[in-house]
Amino acid sequence: MGLSGAVLAIDAGNSKTDVAVVTADGEVAGTARGGGFRPPATGVEAAVDTLAEAVARAQEAAGHLPVARVSACLANADLPVEEEQLSAAIAARGWGASVEVRNDTFAVLRAGLLEDAAPRGVAVVCGAGINCAGMLPDGRTARFPALGRVSGDWGGGGGLAEEALWHAARAEDGRGEPTELARALPEHFGLGSMYALIEALHLGHVPAGRRHELTPVLFTVAEAGDPVASGLVDRLADEVANMATVALGQLGLLDSPAPVVLGGSILAARRPGLDAGVRGELGRRAPLAEVRVVEAAPVLGAVLLGMDAVGAGVGAYERVRGWFGCAAILAAGH
């Protein structure tokens, strides 16, 4: 049974928050962008305060429409208990009649599913980190904790940068095999050796937060044919395909056609080696998977999840996808 009223959609990541107020017929009435959402660093209430500032601006732009559903897809909501805590904190703000909090991977998943009201499929998101989620029309989901190495994860931009540094350091001092990474990584920062880069990182002359800049360097070196860099890209392709295959299996989707949505800055960039590797591994492990790359803003996924809950009609889905530019969903091979 649908709910009566608008959807207040929130997609909150570590660096930014996007908010949209959308009517039940798919009209975008107000939007706003706010700061990063980091409850592990700031605490839950302070993190929700950050959301509140952007929510207030979006609601003002929308003329304070009555909200039936707050659909919040949030970074750092990695465990069900964290979703429950954040849901309670958001409900206490009184932004809408009902609240649903999901991990932000579900926003990318829903944004990439073209099916209306009965979404099914799996998404792998690879940006700063890596995560995977899947869903069925009956509400069942597949997911991973995605807490880093402690939960068995490998990959993501941060992880790739660390691996590239490790291999480059060992190549320069002789413990590892030669790789062009030993020249390209320090050169990115205007330095002449890995020793100089290691020193600069250790002493803070190059802030640790800039390490993510090395991930595109890794891909460039891999695309030039460097075996060590190419090996890291191949390993990431294997990891992406492995996560998707496991999630498909958990949902019983391996034996029928099902979408596999690829999103996040690294996968959406469609680097040739990685893109081909993911598709090749999925073709071997899950031959019925329908691979899609989504470039649309993840807040679209939060909107669609809210529209699912309020019982929006087909025309509403088409209208809101058009507003967000849903043409940015690319099918396999295109």
Side-chain angles (χ1 to χ4, degrees):
M1 184 82 149
L3 304 172
S4 176
V7 170
L8 171 62
I10 303 170
D11 175 72
N14 286 295
S15 60
K16 64 177 175 62
T17 295
D18 283 322
V19 179
V21 179
V22 181
T23 67
D25 61 1
E27 294 288 349
V28 178
T31 63
R33 172 162 288 184
F37 182 76
R38 298 181 293 273
T42 66
V44 169
E45 288 303 320
V48 176
D49 284 343
T50 301
L51 302 183
E53 189 274 333
V55 167
R57 287 189 286 114
Q59 288 181 319
E60 182 176 3
H64 298 281
L65 293 173
V67 172
R69 185 74 154 192
V70 178
S71 174
C73 295
L74 310 177
N76 302 299
D78 297 306
L79 303 173
V81 65
E82 292 172 320
E83 290 178 341
E84 292 170 6
Q85 292 169 348
L86 290 165
S87 181
I90 290 173
R93 302 298 176 109
W95 294 336
S98 66
V99 174
E100 181 177 50
V101 169
R102 294 178 182 260
N103 178 268
D104 58 346
T105 305
F106 283 96
V108 175
L109 169 60
R110 188 63 183 93
L113 298 180
L114 303 177
E115 298 74 15
D116 294 337
R120 59 188 288 277
V122 164
V124 181
V125 179
C126 188
I130 189 167
N131 202 352
C132 176
M135 63 192 307
L136 292 175
D138 63 11
R140 284 181 291 155
T141 63
R143 61 187 298 176
F144 298 86
L147 298 172
R149 291 187 65 84
V150 70
S151 59
D153 307 323
W154 188 92
L160 286 176
E162 292 297 318
E163 292 284 344
L165 285 165
W166 188 87
H167 283 283
R170 292 172 67 87
E172 182 172 272
D173 65 25
R175 288 177 292 171
E177 66 178 286
T179 171
E180 179 66 10
L181 292 169
R183 180 201 61 80
L185 299 189
E187 185 179 81
H188 175 77
F189 294 110
L191 300 172
S193 68
M194 275 304 298
Y195 184 89
L197 177 54
I198 292 164
E199 181 180 76
L201 288 168
H202 178 68
L203 297 177
H205 299 152
V206 172
R210 293 191 65 191
R211 294 188 188 197
H212 73 276
E213 297 175 17
L214 298 176
T215 305
V217 178
L218 165 65
F219 279 102
T220 298
V221 172
E223 287 159 12
D226 183 83
V228 171
S230 296
L232 292 174
V233 173
D234 290 344
R235 184 178 175 186
L236 179 60
D238 180 80
E239 187 68 14
V240 169
N242 189 31
M243 294 184 88
T245 302
V246 170
L248 287 167
Q250 290 176 353
L251 296 174
L253 294 176
L254 279 173
D255 297 325
S256 60
V260 172
V261 177
L262 306 178
S265 59
I266 290 176
L267 291 173
R270 306 194 80 187
R271 292 280 190 169
L274 179 60
D275 198 60
V278 170
R279 294 174 190 277
E281 285 298 317
L282 277 172
R284 184 173 65 82
R285 303 180 193 197
L288 298 179
E290 301 170 350
V291 181
R292 303 172 184 174
V293 180
V294 61
E295 298 174 355
V299 70
L300 168 63
V303 170
L304 294 173
L305 287 167
M307 290 173 62
D308 295 340
V310 301
V314 173
Y317 286 94
E318 292 176 350
R319 193 171 295 113
V320 78
R321 284 196 184 100
W323 195 93
F324 279 99
C326 202
I329 295 177
L330 310 173
H334 291 79

